[in-house]
């Protein structure tokens, strides 16, 4: 007799089809696809409860945040982001961002960070 899957929520995770190299990336640019997926993930709470990133010295993306050594990585303020446009630095200890704010922040990071073009073009 087979045992039931101990974590059935994983099949519903928005990151389920992503490469482990993306999900367990330690840098924002490499983790961006997983962070975008997390922004609308229906099982983010279950993921965070199961992974317990702060207790497990987790590296990667969990529940919409990038973690390194069990600590959430603070998003960098880069030219072109809302914080830098206002002359502000990222504020430590701020509350977690909602889904729309995370998506907007990731779009700004990718736009400034030189992400690969999404379509072919005249690039060398």
């Amino acid at each position: 007799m087979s045992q039931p899957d101990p974590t059935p929520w994983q099949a519903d995770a928005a990151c389920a089809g992503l490469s482990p190299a993306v999900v367990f990336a330690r840098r924002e640019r490499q983790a961006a696809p997983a962070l975008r997926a997390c922004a609308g993930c229906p099982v983010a709470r279950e993921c965070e409860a199961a992974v317990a990133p702060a207790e497990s010295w987790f590296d990667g993306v969990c529940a919409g945040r990038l973690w390194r050594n069990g600590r959430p990585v603070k998003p960098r303020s880069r030219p072109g982001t809302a914080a830098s446009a206002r002359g502000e630095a990222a504020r430590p200890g701020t509350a977690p961002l909602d889904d729309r704010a995370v998506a907007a922040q990731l779009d700004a990071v990718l736009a400034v960070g030189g992400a690969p073009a999404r379509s072919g073009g005249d690039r060398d």
Side-chain angles (χ1 to χ4, degrees), residues 56-112:
S56 64
W57 293 79
F58 181 76
D59 287 337
V61 176
C62 177
R65 290 190 279 180
L66 179 61
W67 296 80
R68 193 174 303 132
N69 297 327
R71 294 184 179 177
V73 175
K74 294 176 187 158
R76 291 183 163 180
S77 178
R78 296 186 179 154
T81 62
S84 64
R86 292 187 306 267
E88 300 175 5
R91 287 174 267 158
T94 57
L97 301 172
D98 66 20
D99 293 349
R100 282 180 276 163
V102 170
Q105 185 177 18
L106 286 170
D107 287 342
V109 167
L110 292 175
V112 174

